[in-house]
């Protein structure tokens, strides 16, 4: 059924899923621009590389996405399900393919009821073959988010994928074919957890496709010249709203678990109202309070909107902070605990430190080590020469700090180590720790 919400749903689905399917083929500096590199425990996004020690930013990003979805659900119900969800999008695609191969609903019913013959066999085999082809492309599009896209295609064509690659391919193909082709709305009604807890986030002010019962009842078939027409509501009981619903919900029975807020029933009803010269809006986006004639409050008065918005803002600020303070190298310094210090024969005090340095850049670097604070006349031993760190690799080394015993006036003195690349001064890192000495 064509209409505003049908077009909006199509454009929303294409706007989300086409970029996600095509982005892995984008190259940047000779490498895949965006990739979850599981083999090397890295996430690449153009020039940005996120490693396990920075994974908290991805977690905050996921939290921000969840809070955004919760806030939108509180305002307009299951918008994600109706306009963006993978299951809804692929069911739409599989249903469209089915219609192109087997015809409209009535033609499909006749084909199903007909005995097996050559035309029926060709149509059925063609439909399922195309479904499997789409499932294969879906599985490949999913897999190449985790490996180089072009290398993956080369290995797939030459049947050289590793075992985990074949298993992943088989699982995604089976899942896509089963869920989108065969189960369809059963996934939304019985298996999707979001359908269960979305009712907790909705309230009387949440707008959703709603049937105006005061205007539509009593419903009845359209009959011209009948005296009963004057007492009849605007609903002519045509069942078009039920026919176009992806989950088979009769919206006239009130809001139900199966409603995914896609608005297709609104398009169907409006088209019927246009034909019978009735005003549109018998089914429309409205809140339960509006339909029941209650006072409609402003959304800003809803405390849940403020909760979701605050968590969303905090998550986004956390990600921005992490990106602004992300260094090209990470430094961790561990002072030796056994013993805390060593008294040398000349009376000086020496501390031992274990350095762990990660070079996050794509280039090899040589780093030098310096220290601020600490003890007067202290000397760093073990890093007189620049230390080589391979690209995208870590290195461990030991550094000693030796200071005159007469200059030590407390048991723990703050000291800050600083490492800097000789090739690029912008590549640097600092770490604060203490220099341990004898108690006075």
């Amino acid at each position: 059924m064509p209409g505003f919400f049908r077009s909006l749903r199509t454009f929303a689905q294409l706007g989300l899923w086409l970029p996600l399917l095509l982005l892995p083929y984008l190259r940047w500096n000779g490498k895949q621009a965006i990739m979850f590199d599981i083999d090397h425990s890295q996430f690449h996004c153009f020039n940005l590389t996120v490693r396990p020690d920075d994974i908290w930013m991805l977690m905050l990003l996921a939290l921000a996405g969840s809070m955004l979805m919760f806030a939108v659900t509180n305002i307009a119900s299951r918008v994600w399900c109706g306009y963006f969800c993978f299951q809804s999008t692929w069911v739409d695609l599989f249903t469209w393919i089915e219609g192109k191969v087997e015809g409209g609903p009535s033609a499909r019913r006749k084909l199903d009821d007909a005995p097996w013959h050559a035309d029926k066999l060709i149509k059925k085999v063609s439909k399922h073959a195309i479904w499997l082809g789409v499932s294969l492309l879906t599985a490949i599009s999913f897999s190449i988010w985790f490996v180089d896209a072009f290398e993956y295609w080369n290995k797939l064509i030459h049947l050289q994928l590793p075992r985990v690659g074949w298993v992943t391919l088989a699982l995604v193909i089976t899942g896509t074919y089963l869920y989108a082709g065969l189960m369809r709305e059963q996934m939304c009604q019985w298996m999707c957890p979001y359908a269960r807890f979305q009712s907790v986030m909705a309230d009387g002010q949440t707008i959703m496709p709603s049937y105006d019962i005061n205007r539509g009842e009593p419903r009845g078939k359209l009959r011209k010249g009948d005296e009963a027409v004057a007492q009849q509501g605007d609903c002519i009981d045509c069942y078009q709203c039920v026919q176009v619903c992806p989950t088979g919900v009769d919206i006239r029975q009130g809001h139900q678990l199966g409603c995914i807020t896609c608005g297709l029933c609104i398009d169907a009803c409006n088209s019927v109202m246009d034909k019978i010269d009735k005003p549109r809006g018998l089914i429309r986006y409205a809140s339960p309070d509006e339909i029941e004639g209650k006072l409609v409050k402003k959304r800003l008065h809803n405390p849940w909107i403020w909760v979701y918005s605050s968590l969303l803002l905090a998550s986004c600020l956390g990600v921005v902070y992490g990106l602004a303070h992300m260094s090209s190298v990470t430094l961790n310094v561990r002072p030796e605990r056994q013993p805390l210090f060593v008294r040398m024969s000349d009376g000086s005090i020496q501390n031992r430190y274990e350095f762990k340095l990660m070079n996050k850049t794509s280039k090899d670097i040589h780093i030098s080590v310096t220290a601020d604070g600490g003890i007067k006349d202290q000397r760093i031993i073990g890093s007189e020469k620049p230390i080589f760190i391979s690209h995208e690799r870590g290195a461990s080394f030991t550094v000693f700090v030796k200071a005159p015993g007469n200059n030590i006036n407390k048991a723990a003195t703050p000291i800050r180590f600083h490492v800097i690349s000789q090739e690029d001064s912008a590549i640097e890192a600092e770490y604060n720790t203490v220099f341990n000495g004898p108690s006075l």
Side-chain angles (χ1 to χ4, degrees):
M1 179 68 68
F4 173 78
F5 291 103
R6 172 70 268 179
S7 299
L8 179 62
R9 191 180 192 212
T10 300
F11 288 126
Q13 291 170 343
L14 292 175
L16 175 66
W17 290 107
L18 275 183
L20 289 177
L21 295 176
L22 298 177
L23 276 176
Y25 297 101
L26 182 63
R27 312 300 288 182
W28 188 262
N29 292 334
K31 299 189 299 183
Q32 187 163 312
I34 303 176
M35 182 173 66
F36 292 89
D37 190 351
I38 295 179
D39 288 341
H40 300 94
S41 301
Q42 299 172 357
F43 168 66
H44 300 286
C45 183
F46 296 93
N47 285 333
L48 176 67
T49 299
V50 178
R51 289 173 173 78
D53 53 334
D54 299 316
I55 200 68
W56 59 272
M57 285 189 289
L58 293 180
M59 297 174 65
L60 283 180
L61 195 61
L63 177 62
S66 299
M67 290 303 104
L68 177 61
M69 187 168 64
F70 292 168
V72 172
T73 300
N74 185 265
I75 296 173
S77 192
R78 296 170 64 182
V79 173
W80 166 262
C81 296
Y83 293 91
F84 301 104
C85 175
F86 172 89
Q87 172 70 10
S88 301
T89 303
W90 261 249
V91 168
D92 260 6
L93 176 59
F94 276 52
T95 305
W96 179 81
I97 293 171
E98 186 177 53
K100 292 298 182 181
V101 175
E102 297 184 356
S106 58
R108 294 200 297 270
R109 285 192 292 268
K110 290 180 180 179
L111 186 65
D112 290 338
D113 295 336
W116 283 96
H117 48 78
D119 183 59
K120 180 176 180 178
L121 181 63
I122 292 173
K123 288 183 177 180
K124 291 292 184 181
V125 171
S126 300
K127 179 185 73 173
H128 288 278
I130 297 174
W131 281 0
L132 286 171
V134 173
S135 301
L136 173 61
L137 290 176
T138 302
I140 294 173
S141 299
F142 171 79
S143 299
I144 60 178
W145 276 90
F146 304 95
V147 294
D148 186 271
F150 296 102
E151 290 182 8
Y152 183 90
W153 274 104
N154 182 58
K155 291 181 179 180
L156 178 64
I157 293 173
H158 293 90
L159 304 179
Q160 294 177 350
L161 285 179
R163 180 180 300 176
V164 65
W166 290 116
V167 172
T168 302
L169 200 65
L171 289 176
V172 179
I173 290 174
T174 303
T176 304
Y177 175 79
L178 179 64
Y179 297 152
L182 303 181
M183 296 186 65
R184 298 188 180 183
E185 72 277 0
Q186 304 304 317
M187 280 290 297
C188 302
Q189 292 181 330
W190 306 112
M191 297 184 67
C192 178
Y194 186 52
R196 298 299 186 271
F197 67 75
Q198 58 103 16
S199 58
V200 178
M201 294 177 282
D203 54 33
Q205 300 296 317
T206 303
I207 61 171
M208 59 190 73
S210 304
Y211 170 68
D212 191 342
I213 190 171
N214 296 319
R215 174 185 159 187
E217 301 296 325
R219 73 186 74 153
K221 297 295 182 182
L222 182 63
R223 299 184 298 272
K224 293 184 178 181
D226 196 327
E227 295 180 358
V229 173
Q231 289 77 36
Q232 183 177 309
D234 285 353
C235 178
I236 62 173
D237 214 18
C238 63
Y239 278 92
Q240 287 298 307
C241 56
V242 181
Q243 294 293 330
V244 300
C245 179
T247 58
V249 166
D250 189 344
I251 195 65
R252 299 172 299 176
Q253 304 302 321
H255 188 63
Q256 300 164 55
L257 186 66
C259 179
I260 60 173
T261 322
C262 63
L264 299 185
C265 55
I266 301 177
D267 286 336
C269 186
N270 285 341
S271 68
V272 173
M273 292 297 104
D274 291 342
K275 293 176 182 177
I276 63 175
D277 295 326
K278 296 287 187 179
R280 291 185 166 198
L282 177 60
I283 300 176
R284 63 183 184 274
Y285 268 97
S287 66
D289 287 354
E290 179 185 344
I291 294 297
E292 295 172 9
K294 298 180 181 179
L295 178 64
V296 179
K297 301 178 181 178
K298 294 182 178 180
R299 295 304 303 173
L300 293 179
H301 294 167
N302 189 333
W304 282 111
I305 292 296
W306 291 101
V307 172
Y308 296 141
S309 300
S310 299
L311 291 173
L312 173 61
L313 179 61
S315 301
C316 292
L317 290 177
V319 174
V320 172
Y321 174 84
L323 292 175
H325 291 77
M326 180 179 289
S327 174
S328 299
V329 294
T330 57
L331 174 65
N332 184 274
V333 181
R334 290 175 44 188
E336 181 71 23
R337 297 300 180 185
Q338 293 294 334
L340 286 175
F341 61 90
V342 175
R343 186 183 295 274
M344 310 302 289
S345 59
D346 59 358
S348 62
I349 302 299
Q350 180 173 280
N351 280 208
R352 176 178 174 176
Y353 299 90
E354 292 293 332
F355 277 60
K356 289 187 177 181
L357 190 66
M358 170 63 73
N359 177 12
K360 297 181 179 181
T361 69
S362 58
K363 300 178 180 180
D364 298 339
I365 59 174
H366 294 79
I367 63 102
S368 57
V369 180
T370 58
D372 297 329
I375 309 300
K376 182 181 178 181
D377 298 329
Q378 67 186 10
R379 187 160 56 95
I380 298 177
I381 304 172
S383 62
E384 293 80 0
K385 296 181 180 181
I387 299 172
F388 173 78
I389 310 292
S390 181
H391 66 281
E392 297 183 353
R393 291 291 185 272
S396 299
F397 53 92
T398 300
V399 168
F400 297 91
V401 177
K402 185 178 179 181
N406 296 333
N407 294 343
I408 299 174
N409 52 26
K410 55 183 177 179
T413 305
I415 184 172
R416 180 172 64 247
F417 287 102
H418 183 242
V419 297
I420 186 169
S421 168
Q422 292 192 335
E423 290 81 6
D424 185 355
S425 60
I427 301 176
E428 59 179 349
E430 293 181 344
Y431 195 92
N432 294 307
T433 183
V434 295
F435 181 93
N436 296 298
S439 301
L440 298 178

